[in-house]
């Protein structure tokens, strides 16, 4: 079984576990998320699924992404143009984001759980989704500058 199929099955199982309807549109969106490389935006996912389901609304895409985010199955990365989503690594991890082209790369750096616990105890917050983003220039944009 491929990684994409395993991830697709995990996402479908999470939706079923919470009794969410599995419409053909929602199943196809889950398939796109599971097979996506990188961090597609909601608009990019909508454009792809619209080819197969011309009557699908953007609201359906956004609602399904919000649902999967609430279930802890996708990470949402807020950018100025549109939110982007990481459906293959839903656990919190750092991202490198280019301020010119909006390219997003996963950083292979583990989050310091002790620092997170210390921050919780010092502030009284309960941290539900630690997310760290580093903004800068990607190698391609750096060359152009």
């Amino acid at each position: 079984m491929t990684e994409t199929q395993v991830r697709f099955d995990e996402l479908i199982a999470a939706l079923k576990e919470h009794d969410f309807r599995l419409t053909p549109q929602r199943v196809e969106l889950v398939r796109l998320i599971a097979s996506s490389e990188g961090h597609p935006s909601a608009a990019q996912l909508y454009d792809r699924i619209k080819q197969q389901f011309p009557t699908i609304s953007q609201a359906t895409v956004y609602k399904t992404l919000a649902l999967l985010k609430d279930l802890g199955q996708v990470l949402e990365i807020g950018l100025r143009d549109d939110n982007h989503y990481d459906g293959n690594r839903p656990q919190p991890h750092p991202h490198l984001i280019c301020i010119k082209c909006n390219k997003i790369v996963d950083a292979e750096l583990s989050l310091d759980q002790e620092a997170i616990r210390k921050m919780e105890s010092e502030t009284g917050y309960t941290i539900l989704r630690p997310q760290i983003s580093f903004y800068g220039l990607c190698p391609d944009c750096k060359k152009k500058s």
Side-chain angles (χ1 to χ4, degrees), residues 8-9 33 35 58 75 92 94 96 114 125 128 132 136:
F8 173 79
D9 292 343
I33 292 167
S35 66
Q58 284 185 325
L75 265 180
L96 297 160
E114 186 177 322
Y125 274 73
L128 302 174
I132 298 175

Side-chain angles (χ1 to χ4, degrees), residues 29-55:
L29 180 57
V30 167
R31 188 177 318 285
L32 286 173
I33 292 167
S35 66
S36 68
E37 292 184 20
H39 307 81
S41 70
Q44 289 169 330
L45 291 167
Y46 172 69
D47 287 343
R48 288 187 211 153
I49 198 168
K50 190 172 62 169
Q51 294 170 8
Q52 188 173 349
F53 296 95
T55 60

Side-chain angles (χ1 to χ4, degrees), residues 20-33:
F20 291 111
R21 288 183 44 219
L22 295 177
T23 63
Q25 294 88 342
R26 187 171 273 170
V27 170
E28 183 58 24
L29 180 57
V30 167
R31 188 177 318 285
L32 286 173
I33 292 167

